[in-house]
Amino acid sequence: MSVALITGGQQGIGLGIAQALKAAGWRLAIAAEQAPDAVADAMQKLGPEARYYQHDLSQIDAVPALLDSVERDLGPVTSLICNAGVPARIRGDMLDMLPENFDWTMNINLRGNFFLAQQVARRMLGQGAEPYRSMIFVTSVSAEMVSPERAEYCMSKAAASIMTKLFAARLAADGIGVFELRPGIIATPMTAGVSARYDALIDGGLVPAARWGQPADIGRAVLPLVRGEMAFSTGSVISVDGGLSIPRL
């Protein structure tokens, strides 16, 4: 039985991925910080076979206990979806950025995701080749497209991009596929506060597809990756952005 561990799976992109995997027959472990309303709503949508585990990515010492609980309840993790992350704590001039705000973003988006993936990878190496094993890192178009008013977020996603390639190179010989998904402008709680700005940019032609992305768009992109249909493409970057990142004159 395939088991997916999804960080931040209680809302937004993570929930879109979880719903796609549920429909495809995966057992689901949702790891997220406590957010009672969002968690309750998500678990109702995902059904009784999905499990929720309270987990703070910055608390890397708690990772072994998290994975032990998932294995006890559902079985070994066969697909890790590193989706959870935080935005810049304060949008503003990067020349005014405070070290503690830089550290807060990096601690979760990079350090927390790395050490979770490290522990999952170690356990995956002890499993057999079936079912197919995979790791998906959800980054952002901001891994390459700069936003100086949220520089620490861009840097965290750029670092997560090379982290994906590192895991892909390390695990390829063991048949574990590792991929990077780069969402563009997606309608989620994270973008809700700046929706008017993005509405105007999309109306002005910023996104060739001329619409917001939806969490379901990301969910559909995940399916062939976790099924092993793109196994020989390990290390690849898959943009899910409606053409936003295409260089244009």
Side-chain angles (χ1 to χ4, degrees), residues 1-229:
M1 178 64 71
S2 296
V3 176
L5 171 58
I6 307 172
T7 64
Q10 82 283 10
Q11 63 183 6
I13 289 173
L15 180 56
I17 293 171
Q19 289 175 306
L21 292 180
K22 176 197 173 187
W26 258 252
R27 290 183 177 180
L28 301 176
I30 305 300
E33 287 195 84
Q34 182 67 21
D37 292 341
V39 168
D41 182 61
M43 300 316 290
Q44 183 177 19
K45 291 176 179 176
L46 297 175
E49 293 189 0
R51 301 293 182 91
Y52 164 70
Y53 303 88
Q54 185 174 353
H55 180 68
D56 179 349
L57 271 176
S58 67
Q59 302 301 312
I60 62 174
D61 291 342
V63 170
L66 167 66
L67 298 181
D68 287 345
S69 295
V70 174
E71 290 178 7
R72 182 180 62 248
D73 296 339
L74 301 174
V77 174
T78 56
S79 294
L80 171 65
I81 316 293
C82 283
N83 162 75
V86 294
R89 182 177 271 173
I90 299 173
R91 286 180 177 243
D93 189 341
M94 61 185 287
L95 302 185
D96 296 325
M97 187 194 307
L98 298 175
E100 55 264 34
N101 291 340
F102 177 94
D103 291 345
W104 181 74
T105 301
M106 289 291 181
N107 195 35
I108 296 171
N109 291 1
L110 184 62
R111 183 175 182 268
N113 277 310
F114 174 81
F115 285 104
L116 172 61
Q118 180 193 66
Q119 292 286 335
V120 171
R122 288 174 177 171
R123 297 189 186 211
M124 282 183 172
L125 290 174
Q127 301 171 19
E130 296 293 337
Y132 178 72
R133 298 151 297 161
S134 62
M135 301 173 69
I136 315 295
F137 293 90
V138 180
T139 64
S140 168
V141 292
S142 296
E144 284 194 349
M145 303 177 74
V146 304
S147 299
E149 74 278 6
R150 52 193 186 115
E152 64 270 52
Y153 178 79
C154 295
M155 285 187 278
S156 73
K157 294 301 183 178
S161 179
I162 198 67
M163 178 172 68
T164 303
K165 293 177 175 60
L166 288 163
F167 274 108
R170 172 62 180 83
L171 301 174
D174 296 286
I176 300 171
V178 185
F179 305 91
E180 177 187 354
L181 282 182
R182 284 188 186 171
I185 302 172
I186 312 296
T188 70
M190 187 180 289
T191 55
V194 290
S195 61
R197 177 191 175 207
Y198 284 129
D199 282 340
L201 290 170
I202 293 169
D203 288 344
L206 179 66
V207 179
R211 69 169 177 88
W212 282 78
Q214 298 298 323
D217 292 315
I218 315 299
R220 284 188 289 269
V222 164
L223 289 176
L225 306 179
V226 299
R227 286 172 174 159
E229 294 167 11

